[in-house]
Amino acid sequence: MAGAEPLPVPGDAEGGGNESVGTVILAGSANLAIALAKLVAGLFAGSSAMLSEAAHSFADTITEVFLYVALIRGRQPADEEHPFGYGKESYVWAFIAALFTFVGGSAFSIYHGITSIVAEEKSGDFLWSYIVLAISFVAEGTSFLRAQRQVAGESRRWGVTRSRFLRLTPDTTVKAVYFEDSAALVGLVLAALGLGLTQMTGDEIWDGLASVAIGVLLFLVAAILARSNASLLVGRSVPRRIHNQIAADLAEIPVVVAVPTLLTMQLGPGDILVAAKVDFEDEVTGGEIEEASDEAERRLRARYPGIRYVFLDPTRGAAGRHHMDGGIE
């Protein structure tokens, strides 16, 4: 049907999951290398901003490890203990990663910046700090460009804007890498500004303020990612236009009179559950209801391959009354 908005689920495309793994591995490798460089430069220069940036990169490195675990654990097949699969476990690890970004990066940066301002610690030579910041910007930029290419490709594929894709996609790994790399680039600029102002004015407060600003930036990123993962853990529905399209597809089945209730849930990055109360024509037989249910499942999966489970409950309803405008907007 023209105008239908496909579901932004990278995992339902062949190779999409592997692309997310590659994005996470590249980001983690880059973060580890530059974290060590920032730590050495920060200790050599005595810069709070550089040490905060080192903590930022170390936190991002551990975060990438959690995101890698999320990708691997979330792919486990369904079993008797977890009949709907392990997709939600990926959201658990992604939520832990967001918390670690707050504790390991944000809290340290803000605390270290404040103590630096209060203690009025003197900084040393900033030359190596500038060199490390420049190299880090290139490394972080490379990782960010990969994440941006993935986001741009997926958003074009699904016919949505990048901002809408990032807001609605259940692939929390690419979202986390995108936001963390964006914050890393901004953090590098803040650190450079702090160093530059401290060097020009001779006032150490600028270096401390840059550290605090980096901490606040990390807090915002952690809050955004934690909120998104918490919503998916609770059981988020699909976007509204997709909800309406599912309702329309069910209503188009010849023996269906109404779809009074339609419920959807994101079970994982590539798995969706659809449950609906459906009013069938009174004169149809049990066999015809079974055929209609099979047809509904074929239609929905053909349009949205991410749909894994479809449950229909025959129930009475008012003709033509369909559950529209559900889901998230």
Side-chain angles (χ1 to χ4, degrees), residues 216-282:
V216 172
L217 176 67
L218 289 176
F219 171 78
L220 293 175
V221 171
I224 291 171
L225 295 177
R227 183 175 183 274
S228 175
N229 284 297
S231 176
L232 288 164
L233 271 172
V234 172
R236 198 183 74 184
S237 62
V238 300
R240 179 163 299 172
R241 288 178 59 187
I242 300 172
H243 173 103
N244 291 344
Q245 185 61 59
I246 292 173
D249 283 346
L250 293 175
E252 287 176 0
I253 297 174
V255 296
V256 171
V257 174
V259 185
T261 303
L262 173 61
L263 306 175
T264 62
M265 181 187 298
Q266 196 75 49
L267 296 175
D271 293 328
I272 301 163
L273 179 147
V274 175
K277 288 183 176 293
V278 180
D279 184 13
F280 294 95
E281 294 178 355
D282 293 338

Side-chain angles (χ1 to χ4, degrees), residues 65-291:
V65 173
F66 284 134
L67 293 178
Y68 180 80
V69 173
L71 283 169
I72 300 303
R73 295 287 298 174
R75 291 179 178 180
Q76 294 182 94
D79 53 33
E80 288 299 322
E81 186 176 356
H82 297 87
F84 292 110
Y86 289 78
K88 283 186 179 291
E89 186 170 350
S90 64
Y91 302 143
V92 173
W93 288 100
F95 184 77
I96 294 173
L99 293 181
F100 190 86
T101 298
F102 169 71
V103 175
S106 176
F108 174 84
S109 298
I110 293 175
Y111 172 79
H112 192 67
I114 293 174
T115 55
S116 175
I117 294 172
V118 173
E120 296 183 352
E121 298 176 355
K122 295 299 180 182
S123 302
D125 186 6
F126 289 159
L127 176 60
W128 283 106
S129 295
Y130 288 129
I131 293 174
V132 169
L133 286 175
I135 295 174
S136 299
F137 197 88
V138 173
E140 293 283 10
T142 301
S143 176
F144 174 74
L145 287 176
R146 180 186 175 97
Q148 187 180 50
R149 281 196 299 269
Q150 183 176 357
V151 170
E154 293 292 343
S155 59
R156 283 196 304 269
R157 176 184 169 215
W158 298 116
V160 295
T161 62
R162 294 183 189 182
S163 60
R164 184 168 176 79
F165 173 82
L166 286 169
R167 186 167 65 86
L168 298 180
T169 179
D171 187 350
T172 56
T173 54
V174 68
K175 180 189 294 186
V177 172
Y178 185 89
F179 277 107
E180 287 171 1
D181 284 349
S182 300
L185 293 174
V186 175
L188 290 170
V189 173
L190 291 173
L193 287 174
L195 291 175
L197 289 171
T198 297
Q199 193 171 26
M200 287 188 295
T201 64
D203 192 342
E204 301 294 332
I205 192 174
W206 296 109
D207 187 48
L209 288 175
S211 178
V212 173
I214 291 169
V216 172
L217 176 67
L218 289 176
F219 171 78
L220 293 175
V221 171
I224 291 171
L225 295 177
R227 183 175 183 274
S228 175
N229 284 297
S231 176
L232 288 164
L233 271 172
V234 172
R236 198 183 74 184
S237 62
V238 300
R240 179 163 299 172
R241 288 178 59 187
I242 300 172
H243 173 103
N244 291 344
Q245 185 61 59
I246 292 173
D249 283 346
L250 293 175
E252 287 176 0
I253 297 174
V255 296
V256 171
V257 174
V259 185
T261 303
L262 173 61
L263 306 175
T264 62
M265 181 187 298
Q266 196 75 49
L267 296 175
D271 293 328
I272 301 163
L273 179 147
V274 175
K277 288 183 176 293
V278 180
D279 184 13
F280 294 95
E281 294 178 355
D282 293 338
E283 62 273 15
V284 300
T285 64
E288 290 174 312
I289 291 178
E290 291 174 355
E291 291 178 7

Side-chain angles (χ1 to χ4, degrees), residues 250 272-275 293 296-297 300-301 307-312:
L250 293 175
I272 301 163
L273 179 147
V274 175
S293 298
E297 191 167 355
L300 296 182
R301 286 185 174 177
I307 293 177
R308 294 291 183 267
Y309 306 96
V310 179
F311 300 106
L312 303 183

